[in-house]
Amino acid sequence: MSEDDLLENYRRAYDTRVGFGQRPALILIDFCQGYFDPDCDLYADVDDALASALRVREVARQAKIPVILTGVSYHPSTIDGGRFFEKAAPLRYFVEGNPMGAFAEGLDPQDDELIITKQYPSAFFGTSLASTLTAMGVDSVLLTGLTTSGCVRASCIDAMSHGFRTAVVAEACGDRHEAPHDANLFDMNAKYADVVSEDETVKFLQGLG
């Protein structure tokens, strides 16, 4: 099957847009220092993704929508890491106290921004995020973060599964290689979310103000 035939096959099966919701929240997933330090195994050369996310965050704050940051942290014994910690060796950088697990430079949490600490890929799994968003009256989420093929994808699927309209901001997500980044954006857009541009997102948020 040629690439054109493949795309047409997907368009026939998966070509639905759900659109932005009425009461969104912005989620910045795992923008930790390790992804930006060339000496760290996690390094992924994703400065552009962070810059995009910070621009979206600024407009979101102006629109007065909830902004939520997620990070990963493990007990020094790693007892709460389970099979994920066992499988993914770089998670050792998220043991409590390791500077690589801190938020990246430029992403300083504000007093009115919620921080969700997690141990697994999804921002929703094992956390209070879904119930918190529901209690706030949020009907949709805008996802940014790292990595596209990992925690962003996992959070995207769970957001949709919890009933939230889900948009993934393409430029504000990053991965260590273009292939998994592009493939996962394609797949999320086909099945779970609308993959949107930074410009689309900014225009939507400005319309809320």
Side-chain angles (χ1 to χ4, degrees):
M1 182 180 291
S2 71
E3 183 173 349
D4 287 344
D5 289 340
L6 180 60
L7 291 174
E8 179 58 30
N9 179 280
Y10 262 82
R11 276 192 290 267
R12 286 201 309 269
Y14 299 108
D15 195 27
T16 303
R17 298 276 288 187
V18 298
F20 294 109
Q22 299 298 313
R23 299 192 64 184
L26 173 65
I27 304 178
L28 293 90
I29 300 168
D30 299 358
F31 281 109
C32 72
Q33 184 59 37
Y35 289 115
F36 300 89
D37 187 332
D39 294 327
C40 181
D41 298 351
L42 287 168
Y43 178 69
D45 191 18
V46 286
D47 293 65
D48 288 348
L50 175 59
S52 175
L54 290 175
R55 290 191 294 269
V56 173
R57 178 205 197 190
E58 180 61 29
V59 180
R61 291 186 56 80
Q62 292 170 4
K64 302 188 184 308
I65 74 163
V67 176
I68 297 160
L69 284 61
T70 79
V72 178
S73 180
Y74 295 105
H75 188 273
S77 70
T78 72
I79 193 172
D80 52 349
R83 299 305 177 212
F84 189 34
F85 194 93
E86 180 181 275
K87 174 64 178 177
L91 291 178
R92 67 187 183 277
Y93 292 107
F94 295 115
V95 173
E96 184 180 325
N98 193 309
M100 293 297 100
F103 287 114
E105 186 175 346
L107 183 59
D108 298 315
Q110 301 299 304
D111 290 342
D112 58 351
E113 294 175 345
L114 179 66
I115 298 174
I116 294 289
T117 301
K118 62 191 183 69
Q119 287 76 43
Y120 289 89
S122 171
F124 292 88
F125 182 81
T127 75
S128 62
L129 181 56
S131 55
T132 298
L133 293 175
T134 299
M136 294 169 68
V138 167
D139 69 350
S140 53
V141 293
L142 308 171
L143 301 184
T144 68
L146 309 172
T147 60
T148 315
S149 61
C151 296
V152 174
R153 180 191 174 99
S155 299
C156 171
I157 294 172
D158 277 359
M160 178 275 299
S161 299
H162 280 288
F164 298 103
R165 289 178 182 264
T166 304
V168 179
V169 186
E171 296 96 328
C173 297
D175 216 307
R176 64 189 64 255
H177 193 282
E178 288 184 7
H181 173 73
D182 291 342
N184 280 275
L185 286 179
F186 182 92
D187 201 48
M188 285 187 284
N189 188 62
K191 301 171 185 173
Y192 312 117
D194 290 351
V195 173
V196 297
S197 69
E198 179 185 329
D199 284 347
E200 286 179 86
T201 307
V202 166
K203 288 177 183 175
F204 163 66
L205 291 171
Q206 288 174 335
L208 296 175

